[in-house]
Amino acid sequence: MSDGLPKLNAARAVAVPLAAASQGVQAISKLVSEHQLGDKLSKLGSHSALEHLSSRKELLLAVLGLVLVLHGAQFKNIILVTQLVLSFLYVRVRGSVMAIYNDIKTVVDKAEADAPQAEPAKESNEDQSKHAKKRDAKKEAAKAPSAADTQAHIEASKKVLKALDSERLTNASTEVMVCLMACLLVLHGGLAQRVAISYALVAAVAGRVEGLLHFEGFEDVKSWTSSFLRFALWVVILPMAIFMGPLALILNVVAFGADLATQHGMAFLAKIGKGPDADAILGSPKGLMAFGGLVAFGTLWQVWSWAAGSGMAWYFQMLYLPAVIAEGLLGLL
């Protein structure tokens, strides 16, 4: 139907951004090369302080779990977004994003390998005055890129676009946008937030209860008995999340924190030789008692704080300052 209509040439609307993108990538690559940012980042990654923190990862996660047991409800937005991403979105988003990242990395490596070697910079005259240097710099900055240079940048960008899979890039962008939309839905409350809380709480409770129950005569349909158990938990927990939202939220964050504290705390003790194997103790009655004790204490503590209308003391707010800032920013969305 539109074959007979005159078409507007919109090539310039594409050419200008492509040329600018190519120039920007080259400028960033030059800056990284001049300042050796890659070497500096690798040295930072191997810094003794970071290596020490990495070796203490289990202890840090256990301490984080105790923090959530005591004050987890104060960071509702951070906890809900983290649980949502880990439970539903991380695997699918990571797969699509890593696929397009690998494609881009391959194209960039190939472009760097095919690029001509840069000419060595001319040595400057030591006797040249500062005013002359500034004048030369202004002249270089005033030079507009020639049409040949612009076309070369456009061709370089087109070469990159041809090597990339547009459908894969679209899928990765869609997955990221769906992830952001889901997080916004949960942050804004309502039924979506109640379902997210219920899902996390059911998963935490089911993982502990399944080890205590035995369905004699139904061992051959264990997957179905597990599904029936989770359905029964949903019947109890979802109405509680809908009609008693603060209590369900507190139980969720306390169970999440208690799980972190027991799992990684036991792993840390086993690592330093102060305790038995973590998996063995977690599956024993002692592990269950530790988890249940933390949940009971944390629930009573945070329910009392919520009922009294009190927040965190100022010194705790200073101690958790990065998390407090992140929680406030998420609350603005």
Side-chain angles (χ1 to χ4, degrees):
M1 181 179 295
S2 61
D3 292 341
L5 296 176
K7 295 184 178 181
L8 179 65
N9 185 6
R12 185 171 178 78
V14 178
V16 173
L18 289 181
S22 178
Q23 292 174 354
V25 170
Q26 290 184 4
I28 293 173
S29 299
K30 184 179 179 181
L31 182 64
V32 170
S33 176
E34 288 179 353
H35 295 278
Q36 298 179 346
L37 295 181
D39 295 338
K40 292 179 180 179
L41 289 176
S42 64
K43 290 179 181 179
L44 180 62
S46 60
H47 195 273
S48 58
L50 290 179
E51 291 180 352
H52 180 71
L53 289 177
S54 178
S55 64
R56 300 285 180 173
K57 182 181 69 173
E58 300 291 348
L59 177 60
L60 294 175
L61 290 174
V63 172
L64 174 61
L66 293 177
V67 169
L68 294 180
V69 169
L70 294 175
H71 302 117
Q74 305 293 333
F75 306 104
K76 176 185 73 172
N77 294 328
I78 296 177
I79 298 300
L80 292 180
V81 168
T82 301
Q83 289 180 329
L84 179 67
V85 171
L86 292 179
S87 300
F88 297 102
L89 306 172
Y90 177 72
V91 175
R92 57 185 296 178
V93 172
R94 180 179 181 273
S96 58
V97 171
M98 286 304 297
I100 192 63
Y101 170 77
N102 291 331
D103 288 349
I104 293 175
K105 189 174 184 299
T106 301
V107 172
V108 171
D109 292 341
K110 186 176 183 302
E112 290 180 352
D114 296 340
Q117 296 294 328
E119 295 181 359
K122 296 181 181 180
E123 295 183 359
S124 59
N125 187 359
E126 294 181 358
D127 297 332
Q128 188 178 12
S129 65
K130 293 182 179 180
H131 295 289
K133 290 181 180 180
K134 291 181 180 179
R135 186 169 57 250
D136 292 341
K138 289 181 180 180
K139 288 181 180 180
E140 292 294 331
K143 289 182 180 178
S146 63
D149 292 338
T150 303
Q151 187 61 33
H153 287 304
I154 294 174
E155 293 299 328
S157 298
K158 287 170 64 177
K159 185 177 179 181
V160 172
L161 293 177
K162 290 177 182 178
L164 293 178
D165 188 347
S166 61
E167 184 176 354
R168 187 175 291 180
L169 179 61
T170 301
N171 291 337
S173 303
T174 302
E175 294 291 350
V176 172
M177 293 303 297
V178 169
C179 176
L180 294 176
M181 290 172 59
C183 292
L184 286 175
L185 280 174
V186 171
L187 289 175
H188 286 185
L191 184 60
Q193 188 178 101
R194 303 293 186 267
V195 171
I197 293 173
S198 301
Y199 179 88
L201 194 52
V202 166
V205 174
R208 300 286 177 171
V209 173
E210 284 179 349
L212 300 176
L213 300 179
H214 173 62
F215 298 93
E216 186 176 354
F218 294 91
E219 291 82 1
D220 53 341
V221 288
K222 185 178 179 180
S223 61
W224 280 102
T225 56
S226 177
S227 299
F228 293 151
L229 173 62
R230 289 175 179 269
F231 176 75
L233 291 174
W234 271 100
V235 170
V236 175
I237 292 176
L238 182 58
M240 179 181 66
I242 293 175
F243 297 107
M244 294 180 287
L247 177 60
L249 173 66
I250 290 172
L251 284 172
N252 176 33
V253 296
V254 169
F256 186 48
D259 188 60
L260 284 176
T262 53
Q263 266 193 348
H264 297 284
M266 298 297 180
F268 175 74
L269 292 176
K271 185 177 180 180
I272 63 176
K274 299 293 185 180
D277 180 66
D279 293 334
I281 193 67
L282 287 174
S284 66
K286 290 183 178 179
L288 185 61
M289 288 176 60
F291 176 80
L294 286 174
V295 170
F297 173 76
T299 302
L300 289 174
W301 175 265
Q302 296 199 49
V303 166
W304 176 78
S305 298
W306 168 77
S310 60
M312 291 186 297
W314 66 267
Y315 41 85
F316 281 121
Q317 294 185 13
M318 295 299 296
L319 183 62
Y320 308 148
L321 185 58
V324 172
I325 295 175
E327 178 70 16
L329 293 176
L330 288 175
L332 297 176
L333 298 179

